Amino acid sequence: MRLSRSEKWFYVINNTLLFIAGMSCLIPLLNLAAISLSEYEAVAAGRVGIWPVGFSLESYKMLIDGTPIMRTFRNSLVITGFGVLFSMLFTVLAAYPLSKGYFYARRFFTLGIVFTMLFGIQAIPAFLVNRALGIVDTYWALWLPGLVSAYNMLVLKSFFEQIPEEMNEAAQIDGSSEWRLLWQIVLPLSLPVLATLTLFYGVGYWNSFQSVLINIHDSSKFNLAVLVQNMVANQSLLQSLNNVQPQEADQMLTPESIRSAGIMVMLVPLLVVYPFLQKYFVKGVLIGAVKG
Amino acid sequence: MKTKERAIEGGGMSLAGPQANAAAVAGALRARSRSRFRRNVPLLMMFAPVIVFFIVFRYVPMLGNIIAFKHYNLMQGIWGSPWAGLDYYRMMFSNPQSIAIIRNTFILSLLKIVIGFPFPILIAVMLNEVRKAWFKRSVQTLLYLPHFFSWVIVGGIAVMLFGSQAGAVNAVIRYFGGEPVNFLYQTGSWLAIFFGSGIWKEAGFSAIIYLAAISSIDPSLYEAASIDGASKFKQIGYVTLPGIMPVMTLMLIISMGNVMEVGFDQVYNLQNAVVSDVSSVISTYIYTVGIQGGLYSMTTAMGLFEAVIGLVLVVGANRLAKLFDQALW
C-alpha cells in the first residue's frame, strides 16, 4: 500500500511518541541498575546515566553483609510460594462449583461474593479478626485473608463456563467423578487462565506491603517490600550502614547505590518471570473484563 | 448409577397407558433431583472451605465495623465495649484535621481519575496505528511492565529520580546550569509526581482493554473511510473513537465507582512530612492513627464513612451504566 505524505508523517510521529513512552518505562530501570553497579565518585557526582560508570559490586556486598536482605528475600519467597499455592487451590475450588448450572444456590453464593467486592474490607476490623484468630505475626495473616480474590475467582468462573458442557457430560457418562472431571479435563483446558492468575497472585504476594505493615511486627519476618521501603524512606538506616563500613575510597557507598541495589533485588525476580507469563495475561485480563 | 436412571426413564416412555406414563415422569423427576443432589455433594465439599473463608474474612470484618459506634477497648472486646452512638462521627465532622483528610481523599482520587482517564485510550489508539508487529510488541511489553511493580519500587524510583541531592532530573538541571529543585518537598511538584507516577504505572496496562475493543472494529470501516479520503486523524475521530465509546463509558463509570479509593500504598510510599497537608488520606490516617496509635473506633468510623460513600458511588455508577446498557450486574 502506498502512503501519502501526511500518512508518512503520522506514522513517524506516532512511532516516535510510542518509542518515548516505552523508553520512559525502560530508562529508569537501567538508571537504577547502573547506579547500583557504579563506583562511589560517579554516583556521588551524579554522573551515572543508563550505563554503569566503573563497575563495582560493593553496594550488593554491603546489602548482603549489613542488612538482613538475604533473610528478607527468603521470607518474600516463602510468602509468595505458599501464598500462590493456597490461593490458586481455593480459587479453583470456589470457581468450579459456581460455574456449574446444577450447583445449588449458585446465584446466592455468587451475589454474596460480588457484594464483598463492592463493600471494601476495613483495615481495622480485619486486623481485629486476625488478632482474635491468633495469626498476627505469622504468615497466615497474609495468606488466609487473601486466600481467594473475588475478582480472580470471577475471571476463572467465566472461563470454566466457556468450556463446552458436552465435554463434561461425556466424561460423566464415562463414570468420571466431579473431582476427576475438574482435575483431568477442566484444569488442563484452563492453563492460560491459570497461568494468568498465578502471575497476578504471585505479583500480589511478592509486592504485599500494607498487609505486612499491619500484621507482621517481628522484623525478622519482614518481606522485601517493607525492608526496601525502610531503605528508601529512612536516611538514618543507610547512614548507620555507612558508619559500619571501612571508609576506604574503593569501598565507599552513597545512599543512592544501596537504595538502588535494594530495589533491584526486589525487581529482578519480577523481570525474570515476566517474559514467560506475558503471553498469557492479555487473554486473562480480557476474560475478566468482558463480564464479572 | 447413571445407566440405571436412564433405564428407568426409557422404561417409562415405552409404557402405553397415560397413568403409567405420569408415574414414570414423576419417577424420572425424582430420579433427576436425586441425581442432582448426588452431583451437588462433591461440589459442596469443594465449596465448603470457600464459604468459611468468605464468612470469616469478609463478612465478620464487615460486622466488625460496629466498633465505629462503640468505645472499643481491648479488655471488653467488640461486643462488651460500651456504645458510643454517633460520638465518633460528631468528632470527625467537627475536627478540621479529619475534614481535611476526607477532602484530600476525595480530591486526590477524583483528580487521579480525571487526569489518568485519557492516557490508556491514547496509548491504545496509538498502538493500534503501529504497522510493524515487532515494534508494537516491544512497546507493549515495556508499557505493561510497571503495572507489576509495587508502589515501594515506583516510590523508590521516584525518590531516586526526583530526589534533591543526586536525583537524575536534578543532574540534568545542573548540567544545563540550573538550580536543583526539591521536587518531592513542594506541593505542586509533589502532586505532579503523584499523578504522573500513577499514569506511568497503570496507563499501559489499562490500554489492554481498549486495544481489544479496537480490534473488534470492522476493518472495512477504515477502508471505506480511507477511500473517501479521510486522513489518519479523521479515521481515528470518526471510526476508532466511536467504536470504543461503549468501553470508554464503562471504564469511566467503573472508575467513578472507585472515587474514594486512592489506595494506601501509593500515598504511603510517596508522601513525606512536608507535603502532609495534601497527602494525608483516610487509608494512611487509619494506619498511623488507628493501627499504630490504637485509636480503633475513631479510625474505623472514618473508614466506614469512606466505604459507605464508595458503595453508594458504585451502585450509582451501575445505575448510570444501565442507561448505556453497560451494567456490571
Side-chain angles (χ1 to χ4, degrees):
Chain A
M1 195 177 121
R2 280 184 57 87
L3 297 175
S4 72
R5 248 172 79 113
S6 73
E7 275 175 330
K8 260 183 212 154
W9 274 109
F10 175 84
Y11 285 122
V12 168
I13 293 171
N14 189 51
N15 289 3
T16 312
L17 288 177
L18 279 175
F19 181 77
I20 293 171
M23 284 302 119
S24 84
C25 297
L26 185 62
I27 286 173
L29 305 186
L30 294 178
N31 180 241
L32 216 60
I35 289 177
S36 75
L37 293 169
S38 292
E39 284 174 349
Y40 171 75
E41 280 101 35
V43 179
R47 281 195 288 116
V48 181
I50 58 172
W51 204 249
V53 180
F55 186 80
S56 148
L57 284 172
E58 275 310 310
S59 53
Y60 290 93
K61 235 159 89 190
M62 181 82 260
L63 215 54
I64 291 171
D65 294 340
T67 71
I69 194 122
M70 296 304 275
R71 189 181 60 207
T72 326
F73 190 86
R74 223 171 29 238
N75 292 347
S76 276
L77 281 183
V78 170
I79 292 169
T80 307
F82 284 100
V84 168
L85 201 69
F86 296 146
S87 283
M88 285 307 287
L89 177 67
F90 285 96
T91 305
V92 168
L93 292 184
Y96 181 75
L98 289 180
S99 73
K100 294 288 163 193
Y102 51 82
F103 183 46
Y104 291 135
R106 124 189 160 119
R107 214 182 128 69
F108 171 77
F109 287 135
T110 310
L111 281 179
I113 289 172
V114 168
F115 180 70
T116 64
M117 292 169 77
L118 302 181
F119 194 73
I121 294 305
Q122 297 254 12
I124 286 170
F127 172 70
L128 294 180
V129 167
N130 291 346
R131 211 174 54 184
L133 293 173
I135 56 175
V136 168
D137 248 342
T138 71
Y139 291 150
W140 294 107
L142 309 179
W143 293 325
L144 292 181
L147 200 56
V148 179
S149 136
Y151 177 82
N152 287 353
M153 194 280 293
L154 291 177
V155 169
L156 195 59
K157 170 178 167 277
S158 50
F159 190 87
F160 284 167
E161 280 165 358
Q162 286 172 352
I163 295 174
E165 190 50 37
E166 290 78 16
M167 200 109 65
N168 296 331
E169 277 166 15
Q172 277 183 329
I173 287 168
D174 290 345
S176 151
S177 71
E178 287 286 354
W179 292 94
R180 262 187 65 182
L181 189 66
L182 170 61
W183 187 247
Q184 294 192 325
I185 300 199
V186 174
L187 287 187
L189 284 172
S190 315
L191 284 180
V193 195
L194 295 177
T196 311
L197 297 191
T198 304
L199 173 72
F200 287 171
Y201 276 127
V203 171
Y205 280 111
W206 185 259
N207 287 338
S208 57
F209 178 65
Q210 190 185 10
S211 53
V212 180
L213 275 190
I214 291 177
N215 290 298
I216 307 291
H217 307 126
D218 174 0
S219 63
S220 72
K221 289 180 183 154
F222 282 167
N223 67 349
L224 279 175
V226 173
L227 181 73
V228 171
Q229 197 271 337
N230 273 334
M231 288 169 45
V232 171
N234 195 344
Q235 201 74 16
S236 59
L237 183 102
L238 297 175
Q239 266 152 11
S240 67
L241 270 183
N242 257 334
N243 293 337
V244 177
Q245 64 168 25
Q247 298 295 313
E248 291 165 40
D250 64 328
Q251 287 178 330
M252 295 241 284
L253 286 169
T254 60
E256 280 72 23
S257 43
I258 303 177
R259 256 183 211 154
S260 48
I263 298 175
M264 285 309 289
V265 172
M266 201 176 157
L267 207 54
V268 166
L270 282 177
L271 297 178
V272 170
V273 291
Y274 177 67
F276 296 102
L277 291 161
Q278 198 213 349
K279 60 179 175 186
Y280 293 122
F281 67 64
V282 172
K283 211 171 170 183
V285 171
L286 291 179
I287 295 166
V290 176
K291 203 148 200 189
Chain B
M1 293 313 256
K2 284 266 151 6
T3 46
K4 205 165 135 199
E5 281 158 30
R6 240 182 307 284
I8 293 169
E9 278 178 60
M13 290 309 155
S14 67
L15 287 173
Q19 272 178 338
N21 211 345
V25 167
L29 278 179
R30 252 200 316 278
R32 194 166 300 157
S33 85
R34 244 202 331 269
S35 116
R36 189 178 178 211
F37 175 73
R38 258 203 309 277
R39 293 169 86 187
N40 262 278
V41 171
L43 293 184
L44 278 168
M45 273 166 58
M46 292 178 193
F47 205 65
V50 179
I51 298 176
V52 174
F53 162 76
F54 275 97
I55 291 174
V56 173
F57 291 104
R58 293 293 179 267
Y59 281 94
V60 171
M62 254 180 232
L63 289 179
N65 277 319
I66 200 150
I67 66 168
F69 306 102
K70 287 196 157 204
H71 295 293
Y72 176 77
N73 61 70
L74 199 61
M75 303 308 291
Q76 291 170 293
I78 292 179
W79 299 112
S81 299
W83 286 97
L86 292 174
D87 281 4
Y88 288 109
Y89 286 91
R90 263 180 232 118
M91 273 161 71
M92 201 167 101
F93 289 114
S94 58
N95 179 353
Q97 194 204 355
S98 54
I99 289 175
I101 286 168
I102 293 170
R103 195 194 53 216
N104 287 347
T105 310
F106 199 73
I107 293 176
L108 282 188
S109 48
L110 192 68
L111 281 179
K112 206 179 148 182
I113 290 170
V114 173
I115 298 174
F117 182 69
F119 286 89
I121 302 169
L122 192 70
I123 289 173
V125 169
M126 287 169 73
L127 278 173
N128 183 53
E129 299 293 344
V130 175
R131 287 145 53 92
K132 291 195 178 60
W134 65 266
F135 180 69
K136 186 176 170 184
R137 257 203 321 276
S138 334
V139 172
Q140 275 174 304
T141 305
L142 287 175
L143 289 177
Y144 295 163
L145 188 58
H147 170 78
F148 297 98
F149 299 165
S150 80
W151 274 110
V152 172
I153 293 176
V154 179
I157 291 175
V159 169
M160 299 281 293
L161 284 180
F162 298 101
S164 54
Q165 301 101 3
V169 175
N170 273 324
V172 173
I173 290 177
R174 263 199 299 268
Y175 181 81
F176 287 107
E179 283 292 302
V181 186
N182 256 334
F183 290 104
L184 285 162
Y185 295 98
Q186 289 171 6
T187 310
S189 52
W190 184 84
L191 284 172
I193 291 169
F194 179 84
F195 295 125
S197 60
I199 292 167
W200 183 79
K201 188 174 185 300
E202 300 298 344
F205 198 75
S206 313
I208 290 179
I209 184 160
Y210 294 110
L211 272 172
I214 292 175
S215 70
S216 68
I217 296 174
D218 186 354
S220 65
L221 291 175
Y222 288 101
E223 280 161 35
S226 156
I227 288 165
D228 287 346
S231 69
K232 274 281 157 202
F233 284 107
K234 287 227 160 107
Q235 289 179 31
I236 290 169
Y238 289 102
V239 181
T240 311
L241 289 182
I244 59 173
M245 203 55 180
V247 181
M248 281 164 57
T249 327
L250 179 66
M251 296 312 283
L252 191 61
I253 287 167
I254 291 177
S255 56
M256 290 317 281
N258 295 335
V259 150
M260 288 306 270
E261 288 202 3
V262 228
F264 172 83
D265 286 12
Q266 182 179 8
V267 179
Y268 190 83
N269 281 291
L270 289 172
Q271 72 177 1
N272 54 63
V274 184
V275 294
S276 63
D277 278 354
V278 291
S279 73
S280 293
V281 293
I282 294 177
S283 59
T284 54
Y285 183 77
I286 289 176
Y287 175 66
T288 49
V289 176
I291 300 271
Q292 287 186 323
L295 285 179
Y296 293 145
S297 287
M298 173 69 208
T299 46
T300 302
M302 209 150 170
L304 187 62
F305 173 73
E306 181 184 27
V308 168
I309 301 235
L311 183 67
V312 170
L313 287 169
V314 177
V315 173
N318 192 60
R319 275 278 166 77
L320 206 64
K322 270 197 179 131
L323 299 179
F324 299 94
D325 276 334
Q326 293 286 342
L328 291 173
W329 69 84

